[in-house]
Amino acid sequence: MSILATDDKQITLIFDPSTKLGRECQAYAVSSEAKVLAIDLTKTKVADTEWVEIADRLGKTVPELIAKDHPAFTNQFGEDVELDSTDALKVLNKNPETLVYPIAIRGDKAVMAHTFSDVLKLIKPDSSDVKIP
């Protein structure tokens, strides 16, 4: 059973609003016709089981969700640190700003938004008003 919603009518956005990319992704998600559940990592904690499920949906491991070059990470842990899943979950919970990219989920699809336009992959085009001769 899925912990995250799998509703095709909702986009779940997991992001840090203090970043420009996070705010841009939020704007794109809100501009869609879908309902948006914005999970602001500065205010809301994501459970370990949810991080594991998110990583699975993305086809990644939990350590791959962390930006190891982020100052919050390097200042605390140094460089060239190898993390296992347990360590990565602790980092994400204590330092959510180390999430490498915002993550958008809609239905059974998930994208790691390297650019704000990656959110468009989850937005369905509405062609019902288009008249094709």
Side-chain angles (χ1 to χ4, degrees), residues 42-105:
T42 65
K43 296 178 182 175
T44 305
K45 289 214 177 271
V46 176
D48 290 353
T49 52
E50 291 172 317
W51 281 123
V52 170
E53 184 177 341
I54 291 164
D56 285 345
R57 283 196 191 187
L58 291 166
K60 306 269 183 196
T61 63
V62 177
E64 291 176 303
L65 301 180
I66 296 174
K68 293 180 188 173
D69 59 349
H70 192 284
F73 184 88
T74 58
N75 289 341
Q76 189 168 1
F77 305 106
E79 296 178 12
D80 298 324
V81 176
E82 289 299 317
L83 298 173
D84 63 18
S85 290
T86 303
D87 294 334
L89 290 168
K90 289 177 185 176
V91 170
L92 284 169
N93 283 317
K94 292 186 182 190
N95 303 94
E97 68 276 13
T98 61
L99 180 67
V100 68
Y101 296 108
I103 297 169
I105 302 167

Side-chain angles (χ1 to χ4, degrees), residues 16 19-26 100-102 113-116:
D16 180 350
T19 67
K20 182 180 178 192
L21 180 58
R23 291 187 304 274
E24 290 171 339
C25 289
Q26 182 181 24
V100 68
Y101 296 108
H114 297 249
T115 67
F116 59 87

Side-chain angles (χ1 to χ4, degrees), residues 11-32 34-41 43 102-104 113 115-117 119-120 123:
I11 294 174
T12 301
L13 180 67
I14 303 162
F15 72 112
D16 180 350
S18 68
T19 67
K20 182 180 178 192
L21 180 58
R23 291 187 304 274
E24 290 171 339
C25 289
Q26 182 181 24
Y28 264 75
V30 169
S31 72
S32 75
K35 178 181 170 190
V36 176
L37 172 60
I39 299 175
D40 174 347
L41 290 175
K43 296 178 182 175
I103 297 169
T115 67
F116 59 87
S117 63
V119 175
L120 292 175
I123 298 174

